[in-house]
Amino acid sequence: MMKEEEEHRARDEKTVMMDLPETKERRGDSKAESEMTESEAYSYIPKEKNQSAFIVVGKRILTCMRPVGRTLRSALQHVGEDWLFLFLLGISMATISFGLDVTIAKLQRVNLWVYDALDQYRYLQYFSWVLYHTLLMTVSAGVAKYIAPQAAGSGIPEIKVTLRGVVLAEFFTFRTFIAKLIGVTCTLAAGSTIFLGKVGPFVHMATILATLLGRLMVKLVGAKENPSRKYELLIAGAAVGVACCFVAPVGGVLFSVEATATHFAVRNYWRGFFAATCAALMFRLLAVINSERETVAILFSTNWRVEFPFDLPEYFSYALLGVVCGCVCCVYLYLHRVTLVFINTNERIGKFLRNNKIVYAAFVALVLASITFPHGFGQYMGGTRLTMKEHLETFFNNITWGSEEMSMVLNASRQPPNPTYDHNWLQWTHPQLSSIEKLAIFMVLKFFMLLFANTMVIPAGYFLPVFVYGAGLGRLYGEIIAKIFPDGFFSEGVPIKITPAGYALAGAAAYSGAVTHTLSTALLVFELTGQMSHILPVLIAVLVANAISQSCQNSFFDIIIIVKKLPYLPKLAMGKNSVHDVCAEDFMVTNLRYLVKGFKYKDVRSLLKTSDFKQFPIVDAEDSKILLGSVTRKTLNKLLSDLLSAERRIQYMMNQPGTNVDNNWTVTSLGDYSRPKLPRTAEESDNGDTITYSNQDTVTYESEEIQRPVGRKRRSSKFRNQYLKMVEEWECRQLNEFVPMEDLTIDPAPYRLLEKQTLYQCYDLFNLLGLRLAYVTNTGRLVGVVSLTELKDAVHGTVKGTFTSRIASKTEDSVQDSYSLQPLVHLPQDSQAQDLEEPSTKTSSS
């Protein structure tokens, strides 16, 4: 048998040796490579049997393009990649905006064509009208729920928070961009029935595109990303987003700065203006190419007189319009805030909306479409067949509706659903109602319909609706004034007729500016219409409306930030000097926890157990408290976990000579249970969570018993107590050692404030630097800390007039003794001992 096995083994080895050369020859690769020279080996690419021709061609193209790429990189580094980046950003967003407008116009035209084709069937007309809007809102809500939840809403509040330094996950991704684009297309295709806009979504999409292009440029140039560059890209993207919607580069830049940024660097102005100008120019060129315009022109052409026909009575009338817009805006913001708070606080409604976003969006669309049905109640509203842009065209039309409709003879043909009118303003006429009455009904219903539409979780903008609503409010005000004063106002005996379209212009700027707390809306309407003759009346209305709104309510975007509980600093009180009288010492926290230089591990453990702060200061000594730096909670946790790790305990137990501990048992048990657990002792804490041993105050263990696995031999209690005692002694020695400062990651220069720095200065520093926390010092000595919470409470207190100083009850002597160093003079022994005990007393109380 042995002989036969040896013969079989020899035969197998011979077969293997005979097969090796054949295999090598069949491959051919090893032989070819062995015969190559050194220069040929570098350029050799092994051939693959399954490699397609497309892959080969692609690799050759990439090889040929490498010199072009190197040339492009050197050119970008020489000239600067910012110019190319801003140019690409502007023309890309303008192309997307123009394409979106064309798509939306076609969808709305198809809807009206189907509606008019069913003219003899009212029920089918109602069904088609409702079905169109319901399907669009269902798709928009579904996109926001399943593709990217971050695409829901406007996006401007989140951008405002991001520019302050808060990182929002998945907010600037390509997935969110696609979801936002699809959702806003469906929302805008619903027209004035849903009454939502595109400014916010386009600002969000522009910032996403700016982020993606910025990363591409960084890779092309070979540089590294940094937060300051990202901030500049977001600012430019926000300006481009507004410029694409209104074709207004100057107003777009200023509005984006006011709506999103708390502080703005002057060096970033040219980025915003250059990108916005490229976007606006590209948008207008596309309109010329598409034969929508004969030449590059403004978005809304008007034929008003260009002189300055305003006297004091009409200036007062525009100021009164500002008061009306400000009051209506305060009511709108208040109801909007109450609605959002009610939805978030009510458990049943909030849970239903969170779980049924698509169903709720379909229900809202059904209600709004039923109200605006043109042959139903919609005929009494007016403008139900018009788009948002057509609404603005009718409001800015230089025709006094009241006088024009009185001169019309054929009243029978004035049915609003009739689509054959050449003039859109005739959609506001009705046989039984005047145009002013229809406009009044429109304003009242749209006020509540807009509040109802804002509760949907869909990609949509909220600036364009309030802009159109403000234009309608101004148009209604102007028509009423024209009816009261048919001859107009008299200036030096010359009657000057009232232009209701001018009041519509002022109303759009005043109401939208009051809702968003911005003043750049005045410049925005001038760029839209080209009417600079109304600059003073419009500015008066905008300033009056903003003064009323900012004194009573937060802005629309700030309300959303507050409801979503995002990091937020409210605006300081406008026109009040109280912010300059409040100092950091009035609202800082004095009972803070800190580490003294030369601290031990047990001090770190005690500090982490008794405090929830994410950052701790380090001082040089207990008496002087000179701030040396700060250390994060994460660093301290890692320090303790490395010190008391299971590996170190196992190594310690295995290295103990003269003990009866079985090394194998020690390793196995510690690997299974990580740490031993002791039974309760007499010194258990009140809450029962931890047990403190009397011999060492710093060692704590959990109280539950260990359940041993089945089949494991039970050790004697004597051996167990011996082992636990050794572990306890080892941990006590470890915790009583000093922490080496070189092992800590310390911030040597944390942000500091002075005691006498005013609230205004602290507010600016926190906003400018994006701070979350700053230490208050007095000649280097740590006396307190100010976080975002304390600063927010102080700002709220000054705005509402309820601020009270934290040191108001202390006398000047006590304050000076608590926060300043003692003079270096000879003191009596008793007094000196008392002064030396004071710092420890304060520390223990804190």
Side-chain angles (χ1 to χ4, degrees):
M1 292 294 294
M2 295 294 293
K3 186 176 181 180
E4 291 178 0
E5 290 178 0
E6 291 177 359
E7 291 178 358
H8 282 295
R9 188 181 300 108
R11 192 182 301 111
D12 293 338
E13 291 176 358
K14 184 177 180 181
T15 303
V16 171
M17 295 297 294
M18 292 176 66
D19 290 337
L20 283 177
E22 296 177 1
T23 304
K24 185 175 181 181
E25 290 177 3
R26 186 166 54 250
R27 288 181 190 146
D29 295 337
S30 301
K31 183 177 180 181
E33 292 178 9
S34 60
E35 295 176 356
M36 288 182 183
T37 61
E38 184 177 359
S39 60
E40 293 175 344
Y42 282 109
S43 60
Y44 173 72
I45 300 177
K47 297 181 180 179
E48 297 180 6
K49 285 187 177 181
N50 298 327
Q51 192 174 18
S52 63
F54 294 102
I55 299 177
V56 175
V57 172
K59 289 182 178 180
R60 290 179 179 177
I61 292 175
L62 290 177
T63 304
C64 297
M65 291 297 293
R66 285 176 183 173
V68 179
R70 287 192 292 267
T71 305
L72 179 62
R73 174 178 292 185
S74 61
L76 287 176
Q77 291 177 347
H78 180 71
V79 178
E81 70 277 8
D82 287 346
W83 295 99
L84 180 60
F85 159 76
L86 296 173
F87 176 75
L88 292 177
L89 176 63
I91 63 173
S92 301
M93 286 307 302
T95 306
I96 294 173
S97 179
F98 187 82
L100 186 64
D101 289 346
V102 173
T103 304
I104 292 168
K106 291 183 177 180
L107 289 174
Q108 292 175 342
R109 195 177 299 115
V110 169
N111 174 45
L112 293 178
W113 178 81
V114 173
Y115 182 86
D116 295 331
L118 301 172
D119 188 38
Q120 303 300 324
Y121 309 96
R122 288 287 180 263
Y123 292 103
L124 290 179
Q125 275 188 321
Y126 172 77
F127 178 75
S128 67
W129 181 267
V130 170
L131 181 64
Y132 172 78
H133 295 93
T134 304
L135 286 178
L136 288 176
M137 290 303 99
T138 302
V139 173
S140 183
V143 165
K145 182 177 180 180
Y146 294 111
I147 298 182
Q150 294 79 10
S154 169
I156 291 181
E158 290 80 4
I159 294 173
K160 187 173 183 179
V161 172
T162 303
L163 291 176
R164 206 194 166 280
V166 179
V167 179
L168 300 177
E170 303 295 329
F171 192 72
F172 296 102
T173 60
F174 185 72
R175 183 189 185 96
T176 306
F177 180 88
I178 297 298
K180 199 86 171 183
L181 182 60
I182 299 174
V184 76
T185 303
C186 297
T187 302
L188 293 177
S192 60
T193 299
I194 306 300
F195 208 60
L196 294 175
K198 69 173 185 177
V199 176
F202 260 78
V203 171
H204 186 191
M205 288 191 294
T207 54
I208 295 175
L209 187 60
T211 304
L212 298 178
L213 283 177
R215 293 175 182 172
L216 178 62
M217 288 296 170
V218 166
K219 291 182 179 180
L220 287 176
V221 177
K224 294 183 179 179
E225 295 187 17
N226 56 77
S228 61
R229 179 177 177 81
K230 183 179 180 181
Y231 179 87
E232 296 172 353
L233 299 183
L234 294 180
I235 287 292
V240 168
V242 182
C244 287
C245 295
F246 292 106
V247 199
V250 180
V253 172
L254 297 181
F255 179 80
S256 64
V257 170
E258 285 188 288
T260 59
T262 53
H263 283 75
F264 190 81
V266 179
R267 67 177 181 273
N268 294 327
Y269 260 124
W270 74 271
R271 303 176 189 274
F273 276 112
F274 180 75
T277 303
C278 293
L281 183 60
M282 186 66 184
F283 190 93
R284 296 184 180 182
L285 287 177
L286 288 174
V288 175
I289 294 173
N290 199 40
S291 301
E292 292 185 4
R293 300 271 182 173
E294 296 180 358
T295 183
V296 176
I298 57 177
L299 195 60
F300 298 101
S301 58
T302 57
N303 54 353
W304 309 344
R305 49 181 179 266
V306 296
E307 64 269 13
F308 295 85
F310 302 106
D311 204 1
L312 290 179
E314 194 155 9
Y315 280 123
F316 178 77
S317 178
Y318 276 97
L320 186 59
L321 175 62
V323 173
V324 173
C325 291
C327 294
V328 175
C329 169
C330 290
V331 177
Y332 171 75
L333 292 176
Y334 172 77
L335 293 178
H336 175 68
R337 178 171 57 86
V338 170
T339 304
L340 294 182
V341 171
F342 175 76
I343 292 175
N344 284 273
T345 54
N346 190 286
E347 296 182 0
R348 292 184 178 180
I349 296 179
K351 184 178 180 180
F352 173 79
L353 293 182
R354 286 191 295 270
N355 297 332
N356 303 278
K357 297 177 181 178
I358 300 177
V359 176
Y360 179 73
F363 170 73
V364 174
L366 175 63
V367 174
L368 297 180
S370 300
I371 295 175
T372 59
F373 178 56
H375 280 89
F377 188 79
Q379 61 179 313
Y380 303 105
M381 290 182 59
T384 54
R385 296 174 58 94
L386 301 179
T387 63
M388 305 279 276
K389 181 180 178 182
E390 290 172 345
H391 272 93
L392 289 176
E393 289 177 351
T394 57
F395 292 148
F396 293 156
N397 192 357
N398 191 22
I399 296 176
T400 304
W401 293 353
S403 61
E404 289 291 332
E405 69 177 346
M406 289 177 62
S407 63
M408 293 180 62
V409 179
L410 299 177
N411 293 331
S413 62
R414 295 163 55 201
Q415 294 294 331
N418 193 344
T420 59
Y421 285 128
D422 296 329
H423 303 288
N424 287 326
W425 75 270
L426 295 177
Q427 293 287 327
W428 298 93
T429 59
H430 194 273
Q432 288 80 30
L433 298 175
S434 66
S435 59
I436 297 179
E437 292 173 341
K438 290 192 65 174
L439 185 57
I441 295 174
F442 174 85
M443 299 309 298
V444 173
L445 289 180
K446 280 298 181 181
F447 183 87
F448 296 99
M449 291 170 64
L450 183 57
L451 288 173
F452 192 36
N454 287 341
T455 58
M456 291 188 295
V457 186
I458 58 175
Y462 308 116
F463 177 78
L464 187 59
V466 297
F467 189 83
V468 176
Y469 187 87
L473 188 62
R475 182 77 193 201
L476 178 62
Y477 179 86
E479 292 287 344
I480 293 175
I481 294 296
K483 199 171 188 64
I484 296 175
F485 303 96
D487 296 330
F489 296 105
F490 286 86
S491 175
E492 297 180 356
V494 179
I496 300 177
K497 279 195 172 185
I498 295 173
T499 306
Y503 288 94
L505 188 73
Y511 188 76
S512 59
V515 170
T516 57
H517 287 189
T518 56
L519 301 176
S520 56
T521 53
L523 184 59
L524 204 61
V525 296
F526 298 146
E527 288 188 277
L528 286 175
T529 60
Q531 287 292 336
M532 296 300 293
S533 60
H534 286 67
I535 183 168
L536 284 179
V538 170
L539 283 176
I540 290 173
V542 170
L543 290 173
V544 172
N546 263 276
I548 297 174
S549 176
Q550 294 188 26
S551 61
C552 298
Q553 296 291 333
N554 292 310
S555 71
F556 184 90
F557 303 128
D558 290 343
I559 289 175
I560 296 178
I561 293 175
I562 294 171
V563 172
K564 288 186 176 182
K565 297 181 180 179
L566 299 173
Y568 160 78
L569 268 180
K571 288 186 178 181
L572 290 172
M574 184 176 61
K576 293 184 179 179
N577 294 325
S578 57
V579 292
H580 298 284
D581 299 331
V582 178
C583 299
E585 62 181 356
D586 297 325
F587 56 89
M588 68 181 181
V589 177
T590 55
N591 57 341
L592 71 161
R593 300 281 181 171
Y594 56 87
L595 292 169
V596 183
K597 183 180 179 180
F599 55 91
K600 300 181 179 180
Y601 286 99
K602 66 178 182 179
D603 300 326
V604 176
R605 188 171 187 175
S606 176
L607 186 66
L608 294 177
K609 288 180 59 179
T610 57
S611 177
D612 296 331
F613 295 141
K614 296 183 180 180
Q615 185 175 334
F616 300 98
I618 301 177
V619 298
D620 65 334
E622 189 70 40
D623 52 352
S624 60
K625 295 182 184 178
I626 301 299
L627 182 62
L628 300 179
S630 63
V631 61
T632 61
R633 187 183 190 91
K634 183 179 179 180
T635 303
L636 296 179
N637 277 327
K638 186 178 184 303
L639 186 70
L640 276 182
S641 63
D642 293 342
L643 178 72
L644 303 178
S645 61
E647 291 79 5
R648 294 195 64 191
R649 283 202 307 273
I650 293 172
Q651 189 65 32
Y652 169 76
M653 297 302 297
M654 295 179 62
N655 293 336
Q656 291 300 311
T659 59
N660 295 325
V661 179
D662 186 4
N663 290 339
N664 189 21
W665 180 88
T666 304
V667 173
T668 304
S669 61
L670 287 178
D672 293 339
Y673 310 119
S674 177
R675 288 188 63 175
K677 301 178 181 179
L678 294 179
R680 298 180 183 272
T681 61
E683 296 191 18
E684 184 178 359
S685 61
D686 296 334
N687 55 11
D689 294 334
T690 57
I691 299 90
T692 307
Y693 289 88
S694 57
N695 54 353
Q696 294 291 339
D697 294 336
T698 58
V699 182
T700 59
Y701 293 103
E702 299 181 4
S703 59
E704 292 81 9
E705 292 286 348
I706 297 178
Q707 296 181 0
R708 297 181 179 277
V710 179
R712 185 178 292 279
K713 184 178 179 180
R714 185 177 182 85
R715 299 289 174 173
S716 63
S717 59
K718 180 178 179 181
F719 179 81
R720 176 181 174 82
N721 292 335
Q722 179 185 3
Y723 167 72
L724 295 178
K725 185 177 180 181
M726 294 174 62
V727 173
E728 179 184 342
E729 292 176 353
W730 174 77
E731 286 198 6
C732 290
R733 286 196 298 269
Q734 297 296 319
L735 292 173
N736 280 302
E737 292 182 359
F738 292 95
V739 178
M741 300 293 288
E742 59 272 8
D743 293 345
L744 284 176
T745 304
I746 300 176
D747 182 8
Y751 292 104
R752 309 186 186 195
L753 300 173
L754 300 179
E755 283 182 303
K756 298 301 180 182
Q757 278 189 309
T758 62
L759 176 61
Y760 190 87
Q761 293 173 325
C762 299
Y763 182 89
D764 284 344
L765 285 174
F766 269 71
N767 271 328
L768 184 62
L769 303 177
L771 303 182
R772 297 290 187 87
L773 180 142
Y775 296 107
V776 184
T777 59
N778 182 3
T779 61
R781 177 176 180 173
L782 179 66
V783 296
V785 64
V786 173
S787 67
L788 205 62
T789 304
E790 285 79 35
L791 185 62
K792 186 187 301 182
D793 294 339
V795 173
H796 273 301
T798 55
V799 171
K800 297 180 181 179
T802 59
F803 177 78
T804 56
S805 175
R806 292 177 182 249
I807 61 172
S809 60
K810 298 182 180 181
T811 61
E812 295 182 0
D813 296 336
S814 62
V815 173
Q816 184 177 1
D817 293 337
S818 301
Y819 297 148
S820 61
L821 295 175
Q822 297 293 335
L824 299 177
V825 296
H826 179 71
L827 298 174
Q829 186 174 1
D830 295 340
S831 176
Q832 187 175 3
Q834 183 179 0
D835 291 336
L836 292 176
E837 291 176 358
E838 276 187 2
S840 61
T841 305
K842 295 186 183 71
T843 306
S844 62
S845 64
S846 64

